[in-house]
Structure formats: structure tokens, C-alpha cells
Amino acid sequence: MNIFGFSILNFTMSRRKIAAGNWKMNLNLQDGVHLVHQIVKASRDKRVDTLLGVPFPYLLEMARLSRYMDNVDIMAQNCSHFENGAHTGEVSASMLASLGIETVVIGHSERRADNNETNDILKLKVDLALANGLQIVFCCGESLKTRKAKKHISFVKNQIKESLFHLKKKDFDHIVIAYEPIWAIGTGETASPAQAQEMHREIRKYLKSKIQNKANDISILYGGSVKPTNAKELFGQKDIDGGLVGGASLKAETFVPIINSF
Ligand code: PGA
């Protein structure tokens, strides 16, 4: 239960199937509210947790709306690495928690690139999110250059190590990983199911080295041009537990079929 007393999606329930939308800096409030209603109405499959990452100004309205939804939850796209104070324009993890928001995306490649968010900065965000009782969708993923140099697996492992491996085993109850190869984000180019599965398997193996069998309970999402036409095959891979979806999450016609792809 959160502060509003309504039921929550809970990562601790082990290896959930998750369809997460990431609206980024798109949609106005009215269109966003309409879209949420459409998604709630159309997606009744209780086996799938649907999460919507909406812009900061919409969070309170959406959190209120989500009181009446048992199949869709709202998440923030970011939080500050500062606890509070003189940081104009920033939004803290404790502010998110005070709105009744329960999940935050940390480490999206667009924020890493646009805002110079290093693995060390993300580590601070992770700590503050957990300290405020938030669940985390932690993003990782390599550039095309890194993949071409065949360093993609060690690169992603290092992102995970530097931002997450200081945590205690029980903290991983509150973490979902989203593998999003940068070259596949918003490009229309998707990692093949085999490429995605290979990385997801490596990530799970790497998590095992830190948290042993608990790694089997962690949901690992794929992101990067997920569409209704490729979702089923991607989500059908052994280590892929769902998707973090940008462009295709902006319309019910494309997002609902993705939710229904499991
Ligand atoms: P995309 O974005 O689905 O538009 O490629 C995914 C993401 O950035 O999370």
C-alpha cells in the first residue's frame, strides 16, 4: 500500500512480466490522461504489470488517477542525485515518494548523454530512491561503437557494477533492469531477439555472481524500438521479462498490443 492506501505493483513478487512505457518529453496532460484511460480499459491482463513513465508535471494527477486502476501504475522518469536543497529545477526522490509515486527510472541513456549522468551519479540516485522506498527501473546499454568493438557485454556489466553492486542483496528486491542498446532507441532498428537474449542472459549471469539465485527473480526488460510487430518474439526469449517502450507507448493502438504480447 502506498500513502494513498491503494494497491501497488510490487517488484518483490519475483520475476514479473512488465510492459513499461516511457513517454519521455511527449504528450500534453490532456492527451496523457486520455491515453491512460484507453490503456486501463484495454489492458485487463493481470499477469502483466503495466508501468507508465510520465513527465514530472503530470505525476500528481496521474498518481490520483492510478488510485482507480489495478492494472496500470505510474512511474517517474528520473530523480535527482541530491537529497534536497538549492538545486533549481531538480526533483528529489523524497518528493516523488510524497506524491505516492513508487517507481522511478534511473540511468536512461538519454539522461546519461544529455545530462552527463555517470555511473557514480547514478549510484547516488539509486541510493536515494531506495532510501525513499522507491522501486527502480535501472537502464543500461551500449553504443553502436562499443558493440562494433565487441565490448558491449563488459560495458553493460560495468554500468551495473558501478551503480548497483554496492547494494545489499535484499535491495535487489526493488530493482528491475532495462537493457536498452543506444543504437536501437528511437531508431526503428531493434536488437534481434538473439542479440537481446544474449545480453539478458549475460546480465542475469552477472547478477548471479553478486546475489546468487535471487538473480532468477529479477525482471530484465528490453528497450529499443519495441513495436507490436516484434514484441512477442522479444518477450518470448528466456531471459526477457518485458519491455521499456518509448515511441510505441505514446498511442493506445501500438502500446496495448505490446501489453498483450506476453
Ligand atoms: P523507443 O525508446 O522505444 O522509442 O526506441 C525506448 C526507450 O528509450 O526507453
Side-chain angles (χ1 to χ4, degrees), residues 30 95 127 129 140 148 157 224 230 236:
Q30 291 72 25
M95 289 173 183
D127 288 344
C140 53
K148 282 194 167 150
K157 280 185 184 171
N230 59 24

Short mmCIF file of all heavy atoms in Angstrom, two decimals, residues 30 95 127 129 140 148 157 224 230 236:
data_model
loop_
_atom_site.label_atom_id
_atom_site.label_comp_id
_atom_site.label_asym_id
_atom_site.label_seq_id
_atom_site.Cartn_x
_atom_site.Cartn_y
_atom_site.Cartn_z
N GLN A 30 -3.68 16.62 -21.15
CA GLN A 30 -4.98 16.12 -21.57
C GLN A 30 -4.82 14.85 -22.41
O GLN A 30 -5.54 13.86 -22.20
CB GLN A 30 -5.73 17.20 -22.38
CG GLN A 30 -6.17 18.42 -21.58
CD GLN A 30 -5.02 19.34 -21.16
OE1 GLN A 30 -3.96 19.37 -21.80
NE2 GLN A 30 -5.20 20.07 -20.07
N MET A 95 10.46 13.74 -2.85
CA MET A 95 9.28 14.42 -3.41
C MET A 95 8.41 13.42 -4.17
O MET A 95 7.18 13.43 -4.04
CB MET A 95 9.71 15.54 -4.38
CG MET A 95 10.32 16.73 -3.71
SD MET A 95 10.96 17.85 -4.97
CE MET A 95 11.69 19.09 -3.92
N ASP A 127 20.74 5.07 -4.51
CA ASP A 127 20.70 5.07 -3.04
C ASP A 127 19.55 5.92 -2.51
O ASP A 127 18.85 5.52 -1.58
CB ASP A 127 22.03 5.58 -2.48
CG ASP A 127 23.15 4.58 -2.67
OD1 ASP A 127 22.83 3.40 -2.96
OD2 ASP A 127 24.33 4.96 -2.56
N ALA A 129 16.78 6.79 -4.12
CA ALA A 129 15.49 6.17 -4.48
C ALA A 129 15.16 5.07 -3.47
O ALA A 129 14.05 5.03 -2.93
CB ALA A 129 15.55 5.62 -5.90
N CYS A 140 20.53 0.31 -18.71
CA CYS A 140 21.90 0.16 -19.14
C CYS A 140 21.89 -0.13 -20.64
O CYS A 140 20.85 -0.46 -21.20
CB CYS A 140 22.59 -0.97 -18.38
SG CYS A 140 21.69 -2.53 -18.44
N LYS A 148 30.32 -2.60 -31.88
CA LYS A 148 31.18 -2.96 -33.02
C LYS A 148 32.57 -3.38 -32.54
O LYS A 148 33.22 -4.21 -33.15
CB LYS A 148 31.26 -1.80 -34.01
CG LYS A 148 30.01 -1.74 -34.88
CD LYS A 148 30.18 -0.85 -36.08
CE LYS A 148 29.05 -1.05 -37.07
NZ LYS A 148 28.77 0.17 -37.84
N LYS A 157 28.06 -4.71 -18.17
CA LYS A 157 28.36 -5.25 -16.83
C LYS A 157 28.96 -4.16 -15.94
O LYS A 157 28.64 -4.06 -14.76
CB LYS A 157 29.37 -6.40 -16.94
CG LYS A 157 28.77 -7.72 -17.37
CD LYS A 157 29.88 -8.74 -17.31
CE LYS A 157 29.47 -10.10 -17.80
NZ LYS A 157 30.64 -10.99 -17.93
N GLY A 224 14.22 -0.50 -26.89
CA GLY A 224 14.87 -0.09 -28.14
C GLY A 224 14.00 -0.50 -29.31
O GLY A 224 14.06 -1.63 -29.77
N ASN A 230 7.28 -6.76 -33.13
CA ASN A 230 8.44 -7.53 -32.66
C ASN A 230 8.35 -7.92 -31.18
O ASN A 230 9.18 -8.68 -30.68
CB ASN A 230 9.76 -6.78 -32.94
CG ASN A 230 9.81 -5.42 -32.27
OD1 ASN A 230 9.14 -5.17 -31.27
ND2 ASN A 230 10.62 -4.51 -32.80
N GLY A 236 9.31 -13.42 -25.80
CA GLY A 236 9.31 -14.87 -25.73
C GLY A 236 10.68 -15.45 -25.39
O GLY A 236 10.82 -16.65 -25.15
#
